[in-house]
Amino acid sequence: QSVLTQPPSASGTPGQRVTISCSGSSSNIGSNTVNWYQQLPGTAPKLLIYSNNQRPSGVPDRFSGSKSGTSASLAISGLQSEDEADYYCAAWDDSLNAYWVFGGGTKLTVL
Amino acid sequence: EVQLVESGGGLVQPGGSLRLSCAASGFTFSSYSMNWVRQAPGKGLEWVSYISSSSSTIYYADSVKGRFTISRDNAKNSLYLQMNSLRAEDTAVYYCARAILYGPHDYWGQGTLVTVSS
């Protein structure tokens, strides 16, 4: 059972816009920034979005993040076949002995 | 180019021990805190341990506290994870990842698979 809650799956057709949600609590998303990771099949996770809505160098602007209260969202516009991957949200948690917590991951399928 | 390369994984019996290593290059290793994050087969990511740049601050997830020990050698640009009293539920790909306290894990290694089975 992950501390952050994500839908297990999402899908879209090429060119569409899809969003993936991430729900937490006041001790994590509610009081700290959210990061998103993309994990392509058989590879290591890659930082996609940090500090709620910042993109590391090299990440296309088709990817965007937002946060409101104890929830966050990742949006992917102009969906491409190479976006098919697992996406994870993460945040620091202020609870005792919690530290970094992750969502369970969302598998994005490009139809 | 930042590179993190893990090694040391393998098959170990329950109750056994294993030591993972992570060789870092492409950045000033001694200036950055480091982490271990694991992923059980077909499952999500789980943070395991954190060590500050000078080794003065160390944290562990409750699931490994008392059994795992994180350490680093800044002269060798290397991060380690000593894993003792291994259990079946420790079976996972273990990634080393760079992250400042409270911050994002901005670089990840390719991972090393640890399988705990008799």
Side-chain angles (χ1 to χ4, degrees), chain A residues 37 43 45 89 98:
Chain A
Y37 301 89
T43 69
C89 59

Side-chain angles (χ1 to χ4, degrees), chain A residues 11-62:
Chain A
S11 63
T13 57
Q16 261 190 336
R17 182 178 188 270
V18 298
T19 61
I20 296 171
S21 62
C22 175
S23 178
S25 67
S26 58
S27 65
N28 42 65
I29 294 178
S31 51
N32 297 290
T33 59
V34 177
N35 309 306
W36 289 89
Y37 301 89
Q38 177 192 57
Q39 186 174 33
L40 296 170
T43 69
K46 166 193 165 186
L47 180 62
L48 195 65
I49 297 287
Y50 67 97
S51 296
N52 301 329
N53 55 19
Q54 301 299 302
R55 286 186 308 277
S57 173
V59 173
D61 58 8
R62 302 187 295 105

Side-chain angles (χ1 to χ4, degrees), chain B residues 46-116:
Chain B
E46 179 190 14
W47 171 79
V48 172
S49 185
Y50 161 93
I51 186 168
S52 62
S53 57
S54 64
S55 304
S56 59
T57 301
I58 287 174
Y59 298 130
Y60 298 100
D62 285 346
S63 56
V64 307
K65 198 174 297 182
R67 301 186 299 122
F68 290 12
T69 302
I70 191 172
S71 63
R72 64 190 295 161
D73 185 336
N74 286 342
K76 295 183 178 180
N77 290 341
S78 293
L79 174 71
Y80 307 101
L81 186 67
Q82 177 67 42
M83 304 185 296
N84 299 330
S85 303
L86 282 162
R87 307 166 179 166
E89 54 265 36
D90 295 318
T91 294
V93 174
Y94 285 74
Y95 297 100
C96 68
R98 192 179 82 170
I100 62 171
L101 203 58
Y102 316 120
H105 295 82
D106 58 355
Y107 289 96
W108 300 63
Q110 86 288 350
T112 187
L113 176 62
V114 172
T115 303
V116 183

